[in-house]
Amino acid sequence: MSISGITNTALSGMRAQTPRIGAIANNVANSSTSGYARLNTSLTSVASGGVQATVSPTASDVDPATELTDLLQAEQSYKANAVVFETGADMWEMLMSIKRD
């Protein structure tokens, strides 16, 4: 895999966490609303590399412990993808430095 492929995959991972965190925030905000359908985020791999998020309502109730766990998981996933992206950017910078010399 190329450096740009690695950074693009990491970027898609970070982008996928945005709707996931939004769904979690929506679930917490509407946890007391009667008839509210909890939003669930599904992550699927994309053929070109990376991941895509799909948010859909479920029939389950909002559980604060589940939402907190999901939020922590989304945060860690975002951070891991950010580290990969930064490493890829550093590798790219090093490669350009070697090429100039």
Side-chain angles (χ1 to χ4, degrees):
M1 179 177 270
S2 66
I3 295 173
S4 63
I6 293 168
T7 55
N8 287 335
T9 299
L11 186 59
S12 79
M14 289 186 287
R15 285 184 178 153
Q17 298 311 313
T18 302
R20 183 177 182 194
I21 292 171
I24 294 167
N26 201 6
N27 290 339
V28 171
N30 291 297
S31 62
S32 298
T33 304
S34 64
Y36 176 74
R38 179 182 183 272
L39 297 177
N40 188 39
T41 307
S42 300
L43 302 176
T44 55
S45 60
V46 180
S48 61
V51 67
Q52 181 179 5
T54 306
V55 178
S56 58
T58 62
S60 63
D61 292 333
V62 177
D63 176 30
T66 301
E67 301 305 325
L68 181 59
T69 303
D70 287 351
L71 182 60
L72 292 172
Q73 191 177 49
E75 177 190 18
Q76 292 301 314
S77 180
Y78 188 93
K79 285 181 180 180
N81 281 294
V83 168
V84 170
F85 184 86
E86 289 174 5
T87 302
D90 290 345
M91 290 171 64
W92 188 257
E93 186 177 324
M94 180 62 73
L95 183 62
M96 291 297 107
S97 170
I98 291 171
K99 186 177 178 185
R100 283 186 292 240
D101 294 340

